[in-house]
Amino acid sequence: MSQYSIPYGRQDIQQADIDSVVETLKSDFLTQGPKIHEFEKNFSEYIGSKYAVAVANGTAALHLSCLALGLKHGERVITSPITFSASANSALYCGAEVFFADINPNTYTLSIESVQKLIANKPKGFFSGIIPVDFAGFPVNTEKLRELAKEHDLWILEDACHAPGAYFTNSNNEKIKSGSGTYADLAIFSFHPVKHIACGEGGMITTNDKKLYEKLNILRTHGITKSELIKNIPNANQQGSWYYEMQALGYNYRLTDIQAALGISQLTRAESGLERRNNIANRYRDAFKDVNIKCQRIIEGVYNAHHLFVIQVQNRLGLYNHLRENGIFAQVHYIPVHLMPYYQDLGWKAGDFPNAENYYEHCISLPMFPTLKDEEQEFVIEKVLEFVN
Ligand SMILES: *Cc1c(COP(=O)(O)O)cnc(C)c1O
């Protein structure tokens, strides 16, 4: 038995979080109350977007976003094969078709060149949108992507689940945070406990577009609204303040106030958590710089949110088992989505995306979370080096 049991990720719940939740449990609203708006306001301030819409989870955020963007049956969307399957599934929920483009072998995010290649030999209007993923916390350069999107009339939905607080530097030397709404139409986040901010389950959509914001608000709650009423009902002027209308086919994708209360409290530690994640990442990089281990590329002006710390090694299965034997529970992110049996049934196959598949053969995610202790990280490093050398 090892002295340690170290997961690859872990939530950090403190007394302030518990107090925040208990206070809401004792309040009048468990859902549809004031904590939702407070969380949305604080989150949009943190991310730098005009608007934020809290929803039940990251997958619901993706689905609602696709709906708000008007994605329909028969339309086509591009995403990365190296992501959680929800990034791709959300387009399928709308009856659209998913296309993948290969990743950049150094940043592990969607390669703009491979997207360009995919679009180049198709007629204009063939694709409706693109869902880039800020993989492991590495923010996609949405400025470059926007140029491409403009040319081809695509919307951009940024899957920023891994990257709250991450930024890249644009051509005007401005820091552009993931989800700030500067270049992407919409961005989505998840508050699953393994992500930066834990709500149990939860998600958020951010945007600078008022129309999309209003659509999302209505779609989140059954398509029901009490404003901008149509009133095509008998005795229209005899309707009191109970009156509401279902104007679109929406869903119940609401977050509860209990979850929002937890999120509000967690958000106050987001910045310090991010700093800690970067310290941990720097220590890993330093420890592995002289051995045959590849880390995600560092690019000047890019601040990585380090949801994950992925390394690539020759013998991944061997290292995985060696770490497990020592109580270190590394993980693998991700099995390429196009190789999932469901997607293979849709026609995708091994060999379609060599960079993504080669990445998958070698990748392993080491423990990365703010409460990882220095001595625990030392132990992880020691065990990794012991195996690789
Ligand atoms: C976690 C995650 C999701 C889904 O979020 P849930 O809250 O679990 O539904 C989507 N995309 C990426 C990249 C994720 O990591």
Side-chain angles (χ1 to χ4, degrees):
M1 274 296 279
S2 164
Q3 57 183 319
Y4 292 116
S5 174
I6 311 174
Y8 83 92
R10 180 193 277 152
Q11 74 271 21
D12 169 30
I13 300 294
Q14 298 188 5
Q15 189 58 43
D17 300 324
I18 295 166
D19 293 345
S20 176
V21 170
V22 169
E23 186 195 319
T24 296
L25 282 171
K26 292 176 178 169
S27 77
D28 288 339
F29 292 97
L30 299 187
T31 190
Q32 294 176 280
K35 288 292 167 189
I36 301 301
H37 187 64
E38 186 182 339
F39 188 31
E40 290 173 339
K41 187 170 157 290
N42 295 0
F43 193 81
S44 61
E45 272 168 19
Y46 177 60
I47 293 296
S49 66
K50 276 197 190 140
Y51 308 104
V53 179
V55 293
N57 54 62
T59 306
L62 281 161
H63 184 196
L64 277 197
S65 295
C66 287
L67 289 171
L69 290 162
L71 186 63
K72 285 183 207 58
H73 183 84
E75 294 188 18
R76 302 177 190 89
V77 166
I78 302 165
T79 192
S80 170
I82 297 300
T83 184
F84 184 58
S85 47
S87 316
N89 296 349
S90 57
L92 299 187
Y93 296 159
C94 300
E97 208 180 326
V98 171
F99 284 68
F100 299 97
D102 211 346
I103 60 164
N104 177 307
N106 299 313
T107 63
Y108 318 145
T109 55
L110 208 47
S111 139
I112 296 212
E113 293 71 34
S114 64
V115 174
Q116 255 160 347
K117 228 185 264 169
L118 177 65
I119 297 179
N121 45 39
K122 300 288 192 306
K124 209 170 169 162
F126 189 86
F127 293 108
S128 301
I130 179 160
I131 306 179
V133 181
D134 299 329
F135 179 74
F138 190 98
V140 167
N141 187 322
T142 43
E143 182 187 30
K144 283 189 188 152
L145 210 54
R146 177 48 79 189
E147 282 170 29
L148 191 65
K150 234 183 230 160
E151 212 177 303
H152 296 272
D153 232 350
L154 308 172
W155 46 253
I156 301 173
L157 164 55
E158 182 178 13
D159 184 336
C161 284
H162 296 186
Y167 62 76
F168 71 94
T169 306
N170 73 0
S171 53
N172 286 332
N173 219 22
E174 299 158 322
K175 291 174 179 172
I176 305 296
K177 267 191 173 181
S178 291
S180 62
T182 314
Y183 300 109
D185 297 282
L186 297 172
I188 68 103
F189 297 86
S190 164
F191 306 126
H192 183 278
V194 92
K195 310 287 163 74
H196 293 62
I197 295 159
C199 290
E201 297 282 355
M204 193 74 82
I205 310 167
T206 57
T207 184
N208 287 350
D209 185 317
K210 188 156 187 241
K211 280 226 169 73
L212 286 173
Y213 169 67
E214 286 167 351
K215 264 194 202 168
L216 289 164
N217 258 317
I218 291 180
L219 289 171
R220 166 177 62 178
T221 180
H222 308 281
I224 285 173
T225 179
K226 283 189 144 193
S227 59
E228 310 213 18
L229 299 167
I230 297 167
K231 288 217 167 168
N232 54 349
I233 191 169
N235 301 317
N237 57 4
Q238 294 299 309
Q239 310 303 318
S241 61
W242 69 80
Y243 184 75
Y244 66 84
E245 289 176 352
M246 186 199 130
Q247 295 182 347
L249 184 62
Y251 296 79
N252 178 354
Y253 277 167
R254 293 188 298 260
L255 190 76
T256 67
D257 280 57
I258 306 164
Q259 292 163 317
L262 182 52
I264 290 165
S265 179
Q266 290 260 304
L267 188 58
T268 63
R269 298 197 305 277
E271 211 45 42
S272 58
L274 212 50
E275 275 166 35
R276 175 67 185 144
R277 284 175 188 271
N278 271 275
N279 291 341
I280 293 169
N282 290 340
R283 241 168 123 207
Y284 276 138
R285 285 180 188 281
D286 201 42
F288 302 148
K289 65 181 188 299
D290 297 325
V291 295
N292 191 18
I293 289 177
K294 183 176 169 181
C295 302
Q296 195 172 24
R297 172 81 42 101
I298 293 177
I299 291 184
E300 189 158 336
V302 167
Y303 187 59
N304 193 321
H306 286 301
H307 163 54
L308 304 171
F309 194 84
V310 177
I311 59 171
Q312 289 192 76
V313 293
Q314 214 46 44
N315 179 0
R316 188 258 312 274
L317 177 61
L319 176 60
Y320 176 84
N321 287 335
H322 179 70
L323 294 177
R324 272 186 88 89
E325 282 157 20
N326 287 284
I328 300 162
F329 298 90
Q331 255 296 358
V332 169
H333 300 91
Y334 292 96
I335 303 165
V337 178
H338 73 284
L339 297 181
M340 290 292 163
Y342 183 85
Y343 280 89
Q344 291 206 41
D345 284 347
L346 297 178
W348 302 99
K349 59 186 189 309
D352 283 345
F353 305 103
N355 290 347
E357 291 167 31
N358 180 63
Y359 162 83
Y360 169 62
E361 290 308 314
H362 300 285
C363 69
I364 181 165
S365 307
L366 298 181
M368 168 54 86
F369 49 93
T371 55
L372 180 68
K373 295 192 186 83
D374 285 347
E375 67 263 28
E376 290 175 325
Q377 189 183 9
E378 279 311 314
F379 182 70
V380 174
I381 289 169
E382 181 192 316
K383 293 296 152 190
V384 170
L385 291 177
E386 183 178 285
F387 183 80
V388 170
N389 284 329

